[in-house]
Each structure stands twice: as structure tokens, then as C-alpha cells.
Amino acid sequence: MGNLLKNDLCRLVKNKLYWGVVIVFAFMTFYTSFQARKQCDSVDDLLGAMLFYLEIAVSAFVPLFVVSEYKSGVVKNKIIAGFSRLQIYVSLLITSVVSALGILVAWVIAYYPYALALYGTKFGYDHITNADRWEVILAKACLVVVCATFAVLVSTVISRKSVTIVILVVGTLFYYTFFLPNILMTRKDLVLEDVSVEQMDESTYAVTYTATEDEEEVDNSHKRKVLETVDNVMFCGHEMLIDYYNMEKVHEYILWDSVAAVVYAGFGLVVFKLKDFK
Amino acid sequence: MEYIIETNNLCKNYMKNKVLKNLNVHVPKGSIYGLVGKNGAGKSTFMRVICGVQDATSGEYKIYGVSNNDSKINKTRSRIGAVIETVSMYPGMSAKENMKQQYRLLGIPSWDGIDELLELVGLGDTGKKKAKNFSLGMRQRLGLAMTLAGSPDCIILDEPMNGLDPEGIIEMRETIIKLNKEKDITFIISSHILDELSKVATHYGFIDDGHLVEEISSDEIEKKCRKSSCLEVSDVKSMTKILEDKGHEYSVDSETKITVFDEFDINGVLPEMIEKKCKLISVTSSNESLESYYLNLFGEIKKEV
């Protein structure tokens, strides 16, 4: 298994296209952060950006990596070399996940110095600790893992680079242009009641209020439930863009992502075991 | 005889299509086993099943005595190298990089043997040229070099002469014979170029419609194929004495039939036959090649059907 993993990881490291994707992605991080600087006023604000590009990058690269393995017939060499299909699939999956996490690392490296340079240590939300921020990044890592696992599954089923990429990229676009706005629209707004403002000193005010969900939006609650369920089962974690400061949600997303990754990997393994390699 | 690979009623179905039907193949250790059969006879499927690329539907096969139902089969299979149907390689990598990948896969720590292997197959000077730009013949050679990584005891080659120029065919043939003789590597080769196969194979398995029609050694086939005369006589005992006196090589086929090999002129023995009162009933001469043997064999099958 170690040899197999070494073989796959070496192929990844020597893949020029991969480094191209990483560099382009890092550049995109700089660019979008630069574009968003007027709407954001803290490091935390910028943290929510880039998920879309992250998914597009993973959806574009993983099928290229996986399908080329099938197309070249090298899987046959691995079987003949005495490795079981389970070992081969797990190795391919781990390498794909590593490639996706590598893109995430490129984001972290490209994003943080830039954000810190812009806002210094102003993080934005007082109730978020540094540990919470790392959890948000962990949730993003989980999202990337699900994305990679799903891409490996689709690549194994279809085994054609272009078709797989189109399906995954169009699926991501569909999510961001149709699905996500629907979730946003069905989101219950908070109604603030009993608002009181108390002046602490010359420049500091304490604001207290009671927040309840807007009952007028209740008609949408069923629709939202359905959309949330689909969001959880499919690519959960997207809503982190809105709720990333809600740590309960973040924990929920990590859990859902872990389950989804295991399910996709399981399906992928079944397909891989039945697959006829030419 | 020690067999490296043997199958016992091996069957492989694709949905309702039965490709291998109770196939019983025996590959002796140290042999060059030629698989002969028409397109769709089941040669490649047999190779794919043995290599583990596909599972058998029923029946059993053994590699070095280890059954496919044994958990050790994957480890045992690592002693085999194979090129089935298409040569499996990374098209974006050079010959040397592909070899390194194969070495990594097999857990060979040093790259020492790579240049030697590439030289052996005539790809020593390809440099950084990517495998996707290789000709079919070059790919075949790289495939052979990759199978040789890890010093396998047995190599399976599916149509290794495909795409090779005449010079390449000769080189491939010589490499196979050299590896067989010097390193005692057993080969299983399928080829449609029967003339070429006859120059390397020591054993043959004729496959038709998923089952083994005949398994025969090259010595036996040579006996059957080489120029020979079949004599039908009244007294075999007297006839054998005459042939021995004249120094002819022969074999007694039945109570009335004798096969005499090499150049044989019946007129040269007629006086002795008359003297010993041995009547000549009939004489038939034959001069078959592997190709004509194959055609005769499969012609007979067709007639039977």
C-alpha cells in the first residue's frame, strides 16, 4: 500500500497541471480579496470568500488526475503488481484528497498574509476565538474532501475527462446560481425587540436586544428544510458563507461532510470494484 | 512437469456471453507458451483473468500452485509481468519516468537497472521524449521493459509483435529467447503472426470459442509438421528393420502405419521390402508449417461442427 501511495503522490507532485491550478488559484485569492476589500472590513469578512473557486478548482483537477489513471491503463499494472482493488482505490482517493487539500493550503497561504496586511489583527467578530477560526478552516477542509471524494466517484463512473469536468463544474455553477440564492431567500430574518442603548463612556455604547425569527417568513420554512437537507446530503458547508460565525452550524457541517465523504467513497469503491479496465 | 500456471474448468461470462468455457491450460515452467486462436477465441480474456484484471465466473486457476481462491494470490501475482491488449503507461512521461513509476510501484529502492532495461529493449536513447509521442513499436518495447522491472518469473504478452517493423520483430524475438534462456523466464504469448510464434514458442495452446482444442509442445508439433512420409505396410516389424539399416528416423503410429521423418525416397527401400515380403499399401508425404497445422486443426473443428 505504501508503494502504491508513493507512486500516486509522486505522479501528483510531478504533475505540472496541478501546480498550474494551485498558482492560478492562489492568484484568484489575491484578486478576489482585492476586489472584496471595499465590502469587507475585517479578516473574518474575507474568510467566507473563495469557496466557489475552491470547488471549481477541485472539480476541474481531480477528474483529470483520476481519469488519466483509468485511460492510461496503469490500473492494470497495479493489479498485476499484486495490489487489491481496494488498495488501489484508497490510494487514488487519498491522493485526490491531498491534491484538493493542497489547493486549500494555497488559499490559506495566499489569503492570510494579504488579509492581515489589509486589516492587521482586526478580525471582526468578538465572539469568535482563534480556535473557532481554525474550526472554520477545518470545515472548509472537510468541504474540500467531500468535493474531491465526489469528483473521484463521478470520474470512476463516467471515465471521460471532459464529460466529468463539465458535469462537476456545471453542477457547482448550478448550486451557486440557483440553489444557494434559494436558501438565502428562505432564510428567516431576525426581528430585534426590546432594544436598549446604554452609554458606557464618551465613545462606548452597550446595546442589548432580544432577537426572534421573523414569523412572516414561516411559509418558507418547509422549503428551507428541504433545501437544507439537500445541502447537507450533497455539498454541505456552502452555507458557511452566511453562517460561518455560527459555530453550532460549523460543527454540524463538519459532521455532515464526514458522513457524505464516507458515503461517496463507499459508492466509488463499489463502482471501482465492478469496473472493467481496458 | 512443474506448471507455473494451470487452469481447471475456467469460465468467464460477460452477461450472457460465455467467453471462456471450461478452459484447461497448463503452462510448464521455463517454457514459451504460444496461445493461438481466432479473434474472439478468448486469448485476451484468459490473460486478463490470470492477471486479476477480471474475475473468473467459475472454475479455478493456479499461479505457482496458489489458487485464485487463496488470499495469497495477489502477492503471488506480483511475480508476473504482463502487457495485455494495450501497453499501460503514463503518456505524459518519458520512458525513464515511466520506468521509475513502475519501480516505485514495485517498491524497488534503486533506479540502477532502469538504463540497462531500456537499453535491452532498444529505448536507451529516447531521452525526454514523452511516451505519447512514441510509435506503436516503441510503446510495445517500453511495455516489455516495464514488465521486466522487478525481475518477474513469468511474463504475459498479448500480441507483442503488433506494430513492430521487421527489425523490431527480430529484436523482440531475440529478447524473448534471450530472457527465457538466460533468466529462465516463462513467457505466455498470444500472436496472430504464427510464423513468428513458431520461431520462439516451446509449447502451444490452441484455443477456439473459449475452450482449449489442443495443448502441444513444439517438439511434438515439429514431428507433426516437418517433412514426413506416412507409410502403410503389411509388416511393420520388417519395415522398421529396413529403416534402421538405412539410418532413417521414424515412429510407429499403429500396427500398419509408420511415419518416416526427413527426406525419404520410397524407391530406395523397395528392393529390401520385396526381399522381406513386406507389402506397401500406401505412401503419403506431408510438409506442414504451424500455420497449416493451425488451419488443419481448426478446419477439422469446423467440419465437426
Side-chain angles (χ1 to χ4, degrees):
Chain A
M1 181 71 190
N3 294 335
L4 201 56
L5 205 52
K6 206 190 284 180
N7 177 291
D8 284 339
L9 288 172
C10 271
R11 189 162 76 89
L12 176 68
V13 170
K14 290 186 174 180
N15 194 318
K16 286 175 188 164
L17 186 73
Y18 176 65
W19 294 113
V21 169
V22 167
I23 290 166
V24 167
F25 187 72
F27 175 77
M28 288 299 289
T29 305
F30 273 120
Y31 180 74
T32 47
S33 300
F34 182 74
Q35 291 291 317
R37 73 191 186 286
K38 282 175 187 169
Q39 289 85 46
C40 303
D41 63 355
S42 70
V43 175
D44 286 330
D45 277 348
L46 268 182
L47 193 63
M50 296 309 296
L51 271 179
F52 171 70
Y53 295 107
L54 198 62
E55 281 175 34
I56 292 286
V58 173
S59 301
F61 176 73
V62 171
L64 287 174
F65 186 77
V66 175
V67 176
S68 67
E69 184 81 6
Y70 300 154
K71 284 273 172 196
S72 65
V74 180
V75 175
K76 282 191 291 184
N77 288 356
K78 293 178 176 176
I79 294 171
I80 296 163
F83 296 103
S84 67
R85 289 200 179 210
L86 172 70
Q87 288 174 318
I88 297 167
Y89 185 76
V90 168
S91 172
L92 204 55
L93 193 67
I94 290 173
T95 313
S96 301
V97 166
V98 167
S99 73
L101 290 175
I103 298 171
L104 181 74
V105 169
W107 167 77
V108 172
I109 291 171
Y111 160 76
Y112 266 106
Y114 180 75
L116 288 171
L118 268 183
Y119 306 113
T121 52
K122 187 189 172 192
F123 279 89
Y125 299 97
D126 292 337
H127 68 282
I128 303 178
T129 63
N130 277 337
D132 290 340
R133 286 185 184 93
W134 280 110
E135 272 190 63
V136 170
I137 290 176
L138 176 67
K140 287 199 176 199
C142 287
L143 174 69
V144 163
V145 170
V146 182
C147 218
T149 317
F150 188 72
V152 173
L153 168 66
V154 178
S155 305
T156 307
V157 171
I158 296 170
S159 289
R160 287 182 68 182
K161 286 179 194 173
S162 51
V163 178
T164 310
I165 291 171
V166 166
I167 287 175
L168 291 173
V169 171
V170 168
T172 309
L173 288 172
F174 173 79
Y175 180 87
Y176 278 93
T177 54
F178 175 77
F179 200 84
L180 190 60
N182 262 294
I183 292 186
L184 289 170
M185 283 167 71
T186 57
R187 188 174 181 218
K188 290 176 193 170
D189 286 331
L190 292 176
V191 177
L192 303 183
E193 291 169 349
D194 306 327
V195 182
S196 67
V197 182
E198 189 184 339
Q199 188 167 9
M200 307 295 287
D201 54 45
E202 277 185 12
S203 58
T204 312
Y205 293 85
V207 181
T208 54
Y209 56 86
T210 310
T212 52
E213 288 180 341
D214 187 355
E215 292 304 314
E216 283 177 20
E217 295 281 343
V218 84
D219 289 343
N220 282 325
S221 63
H222 179 67
K223 188 179 175 186
R224 179 175 175 81
K225 215 169 181 180
V226 172
L227 290 172
E228 269 189 344
T229 307
V230 176
D231 186 47
N232 283 334
V233 176
M234 287 301 290
F235 286 92
C236 37
H238 294 113
E239 226 203 328
M240 225 159 47
L241 278 166
I242 318 146
D243 283 329
Y244 72 92
Y245 47 85
N246 180 345
M247 292 314 291
E248 267 181 38
K249 272 278 186 196
V250 170
H251 294 149
E252 201 180 300
Y253 290 143
I254 290 173
L255 184 71
W256 273 111
D257 279 341
S258 308
V259 173
V262 170
V263 170
Y264 294 145
F267 274 123
L269 179 62
V270 171
V271 176
F272 187 83
K273 281 200 162 190
L274 297 172
K275 201 168 176 61
D276 183 14
F277 295 105
K278 296 289 175 193
Chain B
M1 192 179 280
E2 191 184 345
Y3 297 118
I4 277 193
I5 289 168
E6 51 187 319
T7 65
N8 183 19
N9 291 327
L10 192 68
C11 295
K12 175 67 192 171
N13 302 349
Y14 292 110
M15 308 296 273
K16 286 180 180 175
N17 184 21
K18 292 179 180 177
V19 182
L20 298 182
K21 301 167 187 169
N22 299 319
L23 189 71
N24 293 302
V25 169
H26 305 84
V27 181
K29 190 180 178 215
S31 65
I32 301 177
Y33 192 96
L35 269 179
V36 185
K38 289 180 280 191
N39 286 333
K43 303 185 296 292
S44 296
T45 304
F46 164 72
M47 290 177 163
R48 289 168 71 84
V49 170
I50 293 296
C51 290
V53 178
Q54 282 176 332
D55 291 329
T57 307
S58 65
E60 185 193 30
Y61 64 85
K62 285 181 183 173
I63 303 172
Y64 295 99
V66 178
S67 165
N68 59 318
N69 301 315
D70 195 316
S71 58
K72 289 176 188 162
I73 190 69
N74 282 342
K75 194 160 173 74
T76 310
R77 197 175 277 128
S78 63
R79 293 170 67 182
I80 290 179
V83 180
I84 308 166
E85 289 167 340
T86 51
V87 179
S88 306
M89 64 181 76
Y90 295 111
M93 292 184 184
S94 68
K96 199 166 184 174
E97 283 169 339
N98 267 295
M99 289 297 289
K100 282 183 183 175
Q101 281 296 88
Q102 187 70 7
Y103 267 52
R104 270 189 207 104
L105 194 64
L106 298 168
I108 304 168
S110 159
W111 309 136
D112 283 352
I114 291 179
D115 290 331
E116 197 186 318
L117 284 177
L118 289 175
E119 282 293 335
L120 180 76
V121 297
L123 292 176
D125 57 351
T126 49
K128 289 184 178 175
K129 189 175 182 180
K130 289 183 178 174
K132 64 182 172 191
N133 298 323
F134 281 9
S135 66
L136 190 57
M138 287 167 86
R139 287 180 199 197
Q140 293 277 27
R141 289 180 216 190
L142 179 57
L144 180 62
M146 284 168 76
T147 60
L148 286 169
S151 309
D153 302 323
C154 174
I155 293 178
I156 298 175
L157 300 173
D158 194 4
E159 302 286 350
M161 315 292 184
N162 261 11
L164 295 180
D165 52 30
E167 203 181 326
I169 289 175
I170 294 166
E171 279 171 14
M172 179 67 87
R173 185 207 309 156
E174 284 173 354
T175 308
I176 290 170
I177 293 171
K178 190 178 167 190
L179 290 168
N180 176 254
K181 294 232 164 96
E182 291 179 7
K183 299 194 174 178
D184 198 27
I185 297 175
T186 306
F187 280 88
I188 302 175
I189 303 170
S190 78
S191 180
H192 284 122
I193 311 171
L194 296 182
D195 188 38
E196 271 308 318
L197 196 60
S198 68
K199 287 174 186 163
V200 292
T202 60
H203 291 75
Y204 296 93
F206 292 93
I207 297 182
D208 185 53
D209 197 23
H211 66 268
L212 191 78
V213 177
E214 189 175 19
E215 208 164 45
I216 189 168
S217 73
S218 59
D219 287 342
E220 287 172 299
I221 218 165
E222 199 184 329
K223 272 185 193 170
K224 289 187 179 182
C225 290
R226 72 178 159 171
K227 190 164 185 176
S228 61
S229 305
C230 184
L231 307 180
E232 197 175 357
V233 291
S234 59
D235 184 357
V236 168
K237 211 173 174 184
S238 307
M239 192 64 211
T240 55
K241 181 84 179 67
I242 297 165
L243 291 170
E244 272 169 27
D245 290 345
K246 293 273 179 187
H248 288 294
E249 199 184 333
Y250 67 91
S251 70
V252 178
D253 300 334
S254 69
E255 285 179 5
T256 55
K257 283 184 180 173
I258 298 176
T259 302
V260 185
F261 303 108
D262 64 46
E263 293 293 327
F264 174 71
D265 183 8
I266 190 70
N267 295 321
V269 293
L270 274 178
E272 286 85 349
M273 287 177 76
I274 293 164
E275 192 185 314
K276 296 202 174 193
K277 294 180 180 171
C278 175
K279 280 184 187 171
L280 179 68
I281 300 166
S282 69
V283 186
T284 48
S285 59
S286 63
N287 188 12
E288 282 185 288
S289 61
L290 177 63
E291 205 168 68
S292 52
Y293 184 80
Y294 167 84
L295 289 172
N296 284 340
L297 187 69
F298 283 84
E300 279 170 24
I301 293 165
K302 221 173 183 179
K303 276 179 202 167
E304 281 170 23
V305 172

